[in-house]
């Protein structure tokens, strides 16, 4: 429904623009023609004034030329009215374009919000399994093409069930959020870190060998192990 509406708006806009361009070209041609016509009438009027044998003949010639000038002026005024109409159409066109831009921005923002919601875990704010599936597919294709090192690691929290059983799920949620932030800030921007299960997390580390990844992950593990939880 939205795309049909946008297509109809675009069709109307193209129609107005096309008509405006044609009218503008026509108006320019009419203006040139009118200017040439005025020059001819003035030249003829000057010549008639010199060639007239008497006052009556001169009056008749002048009236005839003035009639032609009045007719040309009337036609030009009608063209000016059409130009005003075209200007109104172009103003309406500008208004509709602005409205479409506002609507497009709203739709883009809404789509970004929906996409972010679909690809992120609501509890920790980390990318979720769907985001992982998308990213790992891209990284795998990149690996096939360039054969740069790529490491994928999965981890979970030991004895996490005991936290929920002894202190409640709210305490467990706080632990998940704390650990998620603690791990994320120790990784590079190009690394992927997401939550794929209850207490399960996944790392994707591009341009990183297994040994290099192990050093980083061991530092993270030891840091969390040494953290005191109240």
């Amino acid at each position: 429904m939205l795309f049909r509406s946008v297509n109809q708006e675009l069709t109307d806009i193209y129609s107005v623009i096309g008509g405006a361009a044609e009218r503008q070209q026509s108006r320019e041609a009419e203006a040139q023609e009118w200017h040439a016509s005025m020059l001819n009438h003035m030249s003829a009027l000057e010549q008639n004034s010199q060639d007239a044998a008497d006052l009556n003949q001169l009056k008749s010639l002048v009236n005839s030329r003035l009639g032609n000038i009045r007719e040309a002026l009337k036609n030009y005024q009608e063209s000016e009215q059409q130009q005003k109409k075209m200007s109104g159409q172009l103003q309406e066109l500008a208004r509709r374009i602005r409205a479409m831009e506002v609507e497009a921005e709203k739709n883009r923002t809404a789509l970004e919000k929906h996409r972010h919601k679909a690809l992120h875990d609501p509890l920790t704010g980390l990318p979720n399994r769907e985001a992982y599936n998308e990213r790992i597919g891209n990284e795998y294709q990149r690996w096939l093409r360039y054969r740069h090192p790529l490491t994928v690691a999965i981890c979970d929290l030991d004895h996490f069930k005991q936290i929920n059983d002894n202190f409640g799920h709210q305490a467990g949620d706080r632990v998940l959020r704390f650990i998620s932030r603690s791990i994320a800030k120790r990784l590079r921007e190009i690394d992927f870190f997401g939550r794929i299960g209850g207490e399960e997390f996944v790392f994707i580390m591009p341009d990183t060998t297994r040994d290099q990844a192990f050093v980083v992950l061991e530092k993270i593990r030891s840091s969390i192990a040494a953290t005191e939880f109240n």
Side-chain angles (χ1 to χ4, degrees):
M1 185 66 181
L2 173 63
F3 292 111
R4 286 200 298 270
S5 176
V6 170
N7 286 336
Q8 183 60 48
E9 286 285 341
L10 291 174
T11 299
D12 294 342
I13 288 171
Y14 292 148
S15 176
V16 172
I17 291 176
E22 291 178 0
R23 292 190 187 95
Q24 181 64 23
Q25 292 176 354
S26 175
R27 183 174 180 273
E28 292 174 356
E30 289 175 357
Q32 293 176 356
E33 183 179 350
W34 182 80
H35 184 261
S37 176
M38 289 301 99
L39 291 177
N40 290 335
H41 284 310
M42 296 302 295
S43 176
L45 185 59
E46 182 180 0
Q47 185 65 39
N48 291 152
S49 298
Q50 295 175 359
D51 297 341
D54 54 44
L55 186 60
N56 289 332
Q57 183 181 8
L58 176 61
K59 181 179 179 180
S60 176
L61 290 172
V62 169
N63 286 337
S64 176
R65 291 298 176 181
L66 289 178
N68 292 335
I69 292 174
R70 282 194 294 270
E71 182 66 22
L73 181 60
K74 177 183 177 182
N75 293 335
Y76 189 75
Q77 288 174 337
E78 291 177 352
S79 176
E80 285 293 314
Q81 291 177 352
Q82 292 179 353
Q83 176 64 17
K84 290 180 180 179
K85 181 180 179 182
M86 182 185 72
S87 297
Q89 290 177 331
L90 291 177
Q91 290 176 359
E92 173 63 16
L93 172 64
R95 185 194 66 78
R96 290 166 65 179
I97 289 177
R98 286 193 295 270
M100 288 181 66
E101 288 175 344
V102 171
E103 186 66 23
E105 180 62 22
K106 289 181 180 178
N107 291 333
R108 184 187 65 80
T109 301
L111 287 174
E112 287 181 353
K113 289 182 178 179
H114 287 306
R115 175 172 172 78
H116 185 274
K117 185 177 181 180
L119 296 178
H120 286 78
D121 171 47
L123 176 63
T124 62
L126 294 176
N128 59 16
R129 183 179 291 273
E130 289 298 322
Y132 164 74
N133 290 336
E134 181 178 299
R135 177 66 179 271
I136 194 62
N138 293 335
E139 291 295 343
Y140 178 66
Q141 292 301 320
R142 181 171 174 270
W143 177 80
L144 286 177
R145 181 174 183 179
Y146 299 107
R147 294 291 175 172
H148 291 172
L150 174 66
T151 296
V152 178
I154 296 176
C155 71
D156 64 3
L157 306 183
D158 295 339
H159 314 301
F160 181 72
K161 185 175 182 300
Q162 294 180 13
I163 298 176
N164 286 331
D165 292 342
N166 295 331
F167 303 102
H169 288 279
Q170 288 186 348
D173 291 346
R174 292 180 61 185
V175 169
L176 288 173
R177 285 193 292 266
F178 175 82
I179 290 180
S180 297
R181 292 193 298 267
S182 179
I183 294 176
K185 70 182 181 181
R186 288 176 168 82
L187 297 172
R188 303 169 301 176
E189 290 187 3
I190 64 171
D191 295 330
F192 176 95
F193 175 58
R195 183 187 181 201
I196 58 173
E199 71 273 19
E200 294 180 341
F201 300 88
V202 63
F203 300 82
I204 302 177
M205 307 174 75
D207 296 318
T208 305
T209 65
R210 181 183 60 181
D211 293 340
Q212 290 170 334
F214 184 82
V215 173
V216 175
L217 296 174
E218 177 58 24
K219 288 181 179 180
I220 292 174
R221 188 207 61 76
S222 60
S223 174
I224 293 175
T227 301
E228 293 185 0
F229 293 90
N230 297 322

